[in-house]
Amino acid sequence: MRIQSFHIDQYNAIAIKVHENNYRITKELLAQKSIDADAVVEKLRQFQIAIPSWALGAGGTRFGRFSTGGEPGNLEQKLDDIGLLHALTRSAGAISLHIPWDIPRDAQAIKQQASELDIVFDAMNSNTFQDQKDQALSYKFGSLSHINADVRKQAVEHNIEVISYGQALGSKSITVWLADGSSFPGQLNFRRALDNTLRSLQEIYAQLPADWQLFIEYKPYEPYFYSTVIQDWGTSFLLANELGNKAYTLVDLGHHLHNTNIEQIVSTLMYRGKLGGFHFNDSKYGDDDLTVGSIKPYQLYLIFNELVYGLENNTAQNPSPAWMIDASHNLKDPLEDLIQSLEAIRLAYAQALIVDRQGLWDAQLNNDVSVGQEILQDAFRTDVRPLLQEARLRSGGVIEPIKAYRYLNIRQQLIKERGSVTVATGL
Ligand code: LRH
Ligand code: MN
């Protein structure tokens, strides 16, 4: 299914009057604070977020999986679904592939289809946390950290193969997340595991094209429940510094122990120019991979507050981070879930863009704690949704994507085209 411009116009005709009034009011309100609403809208139009190729179907847990129907059964259909998201929101202009779940059989054809949909290829993802049926050696006891050099070699070669798939598609980065770890004290020698991991990453880094980046994703636990080799930002930061200036730390919001101050981690990584990118999602307990902003929207805003400040004061030349979603959909329609995640990320960004930076800086200089909070929460409590709607409208998208998605009966169309039993590869 492809969305045509008449579909967009048909829906916007319903919502335009109310939107124009809301945008005029918001523009005046921000002008009183000498904030140029149009400038924020332009920044929002440039802000594109990568959709994970592994999150376009109904995910599952070990307790079960409930199909959505009309799920994409191959990479071409996944690209079409991201094309639908991008047509509606004009903010999903990138895909992040996971190999081998989404091997591009015909890279040229996939690249052609993506460019027709105005989609680029963001970070590639390797997978040494599952054994593939034709695999010689198992990753049960690790991959890049494995005690057996042949297993490490197999995992290094897989990552280099993933880079070559990415080169064929025009991607410029690879994310390495390792499940490697242990579930019982005494199972692993921490030092040897970390040293093996560093030397394996150095072999991969040596094959990284000059204009590529390598993102090292950390996670405290799961699938193992006593130790994880790359457990926290400090370990990822250590490895990225050992590797060189093309290596960075990737922050998955769900990969933190309770009440971790993630916005401070973001500030610290940018302080040394080592923030590579994000896997946006939300969580209440573990790595729940829930809709972004559905549980802790204020934390997401505080993270963007550090990002906007860090990019406006980029002394360490931190590159523009990779903006990617990493979520799993067990209850909602995957496309509606992703639309809501895109909205939450862009709301937090817009709120961070309207913070009175000079006022906050002065309050901090004077240790005026109350005013500091007042300034931060004033932006968070400002309804910036008309700015996001205006950005979509100016970019040829719809004013309200979820309502348009329902109005255009997209899921029903997909079920008619693909049936109700297709299962998308991924989590
Ligand atoms: C690990 C992770 C990683 C992916 C996987 C799909 O929890 O966040 O980013 O490879 O999810
Ligand atoms: Mn992730």
Side-chain angles (χ1 to χ4, degrees):
M1 174 188 181
R2 293 280 171 96
I3 290 179
Q4 312 302 334
S5 55
F6 74 83
H7 288 125
I8 304 282
D9 301 343
Q10 203 180 0
Y11 177 77
N12 283 342
I14 302 166
I16 192 68
K17 278 270 151 292
V18 172
H19 164 66
E20 284 171 341
N21 188 42
N22 290 344
Y23 184 65
R24 181 180 52 71
I25 293 166
T26 304
K27 186 175 169 90
E28 281 161 17
L29 182 136
L30 293 176
Q32 287 158 15
K33 299 175 180 179
S34 44
I35 296 166
D36 173 2
D38 291 326
V40 176
V41 167
E42 284 319 304
K43 283 207 172 125
L44 285 168
R45 295 182 65 191
Q46 308 316 315
F47 190 72
Q48 296 296 317
I49 299 153
I51 306 294
S53 64
W54 60 92
L56 290 159
T61 72
R62 59 188 168 159
F63 301 105
R65 179 185 173 282
F66 305 94
S67 181
T68 303
E71 293 187 24
N74 56 43
L75 182 51
E76 289 75 8
Q77 291 181 347
K78 288 185 177 192
L79 269 175
D80 277 345
D81 283 9
I82 295 175
L84 292 171
L85 290 176
H86 197 37
L88 294 173
T89 68
R90 302 310 297 164
S91 60
I95 182 173
S96 182
L97 291 187
H98 219 298
I99 305 292
W101 291 336
D102 299 295
I103 291 177
R105 300 286 169 219
D106 175 343
Q108 279 325 305
I110 289 287
K111 210 173 167 184
Q112 177 54 34
Q113 181 191 356
S115 68
E116 283 161 16
L117 296 166
D118 191 18
I119 291 170
V120 298
F121 292 87
D122 205 314
M124 304 294 289
N125 296 269
S126 58
N127 178 340
T128 58
F129 51 86
Q130 293 172 328
D131 288 344
Q132 309 307 319
K133 58 186 177 325
D134 54 2
Q135 193 173 302
L137 301 166
S138 172
Y139 292 134
K140 178 176 180 179
F141 293 109
S143 61
L144 298 182
S145 73
H146 201 288
I147 201 81
N148 175 328
D150 295 332
V151 176
R152 299 199 299 271
K153 183 169 179 299
Q154 176 183 274
V156 167
E157 285 164 359
H158 165 69
N159 279 276
I160 293 168
E161 184 190 20
V162 170
I163 291 169
S164 60
Y165 280 124
Q167 285 180 288
L169 295 168
S171 172
K172 293 289 184 194
S173 55
I174 179 172
T175 296
V176 176
W177 168 68
L178 299 183
D180 295 30
S182 65
S183 285
F184 301 93
Q187 175 185 342
L188 204 63
N189 176 296
F190 295 143
R191 167 79 67 80
R192 181 169 40 217
L194 185 57
D195 188 54
N196 285 345
T197 302
L198 173 57
R199 284 185 285 113
S200 298
L201 285 169
Q202 284 167 333
E203 289 176 46
I204 296 167
Y205 191 83
Q207 304 299 320
L208 200 66
D211 59 351
W212 270 54
Q213 297 173 316
L214 185 150
F215 301 144
I216 302 170
E217 183 176 3
Y218 57 90
K219 183 175 181 178
Y221 71 94
E222 189 201 45
Y224 305 116
F225 299 102
Y226 172 63
S227 75
T228 298
V229 176
I230 309 180
Q231 62 160 328
D232 59 9
W233 75 272
T235 310
S236 168
F237 184 65
L238 175 160
L239 292 166
N241 281 303
E242 293 278 339
L243 291 174
N245 57 24
K246 293 185 289 181
Y248 300 87
T249 291
L250 185 133
V251 178
D252 183 313
L253 300 193
H255 293 183
H256 300 87
L257 300 177
H258 280 210
N259 303 325
T260 299
N261 187 325
I262 304 175
E263 56 269 27
Q264 186 181 8
I265 293 172
V266 168
S267 172
T268 305
L269 289 168
M270 295 186 84
Y271 175 59
R272 280 291 175 264
K274 278 298 188 183
L275 175 67
F278 288 89
H279 277 180
F280 292 113
N281 47 55
D282 210 337
S283 51
K284 178 113 179 105
Y285 302 105
D287 186 18
D288 309 341
D289 280 344
L290 298 174
T291 316
V292 183
S294 60
I295 308 288
K296 303 187 287 267
Y298 192 53
Q299 174 184 266
L300 182 68
Y301 160 68
L302 293 175
I303 289 168
F304 270 90
N305 177 53
E306 292 306 327
L307 281 164
V308 168
Y309 173 79
L311 292 172
E312 287 174 359
N313 301 274
N314 201 358
T315 47
Q317 277 92 39
N318 197 102
S320 173
W323 315 107
M324 301 177 281
I325 293 171
D326 179 3
S328 175
H329 323 291
N330 303 330
L331 295 174
K332 296 177 183 177
D333 175 318
L335 297 181
E336 290 188 355
D337 200 330
L338 289 163
I339 287 170
Q340 291 182 319
S341 284
L342 290 164
E343 184 81 355
I345 295 165
R346 293 158 62 77
L347 279 172
Y349 179 43
Q351 289 160 334
L353 286 171
I354 65 172
V355 169
D356 169 6
R357 294 274 154 215
Q358 189 55 50
L360 183 60
W361 182 258
D362 297 344
Q364 290 163 344
L365 274 182
N366 303 319
N367 294 314
D368 190 337
V369 183
S370 303
V371 167
Q373 179 176 318
E374 286 300 310
I375 289 170
L376 268 189
Q377 295 194 333
D378 176 50
F380 181 69
R381 292 172 175 155
T382 300
D383 184 0
V384 294
R385 290 176 294 179
L387 303 180
L388 276 68
Q389 293 166 349
E390 182 66 13
R392 284 192 289 269
L393 193 59
R394 292 183 191 182
S395 300
V398 294
I399 295 167
E400 293 166 313
I402 290 279
K403 287 188 180 150
Y405 181 84
R406 298 281 177 95
Y407 174 83
L408 297 167
N409 285 324
I410 293 175
R411 180 52 61 187
Q412 291 70 22
Q413 304 271 352
L414 292 172
I415 290 172
K416 213 168 9 178
E417 285 172 22
R418 298 169 181 172
S420 52
V421 291
T422 43
V423 176
T425 53
L427 282 185

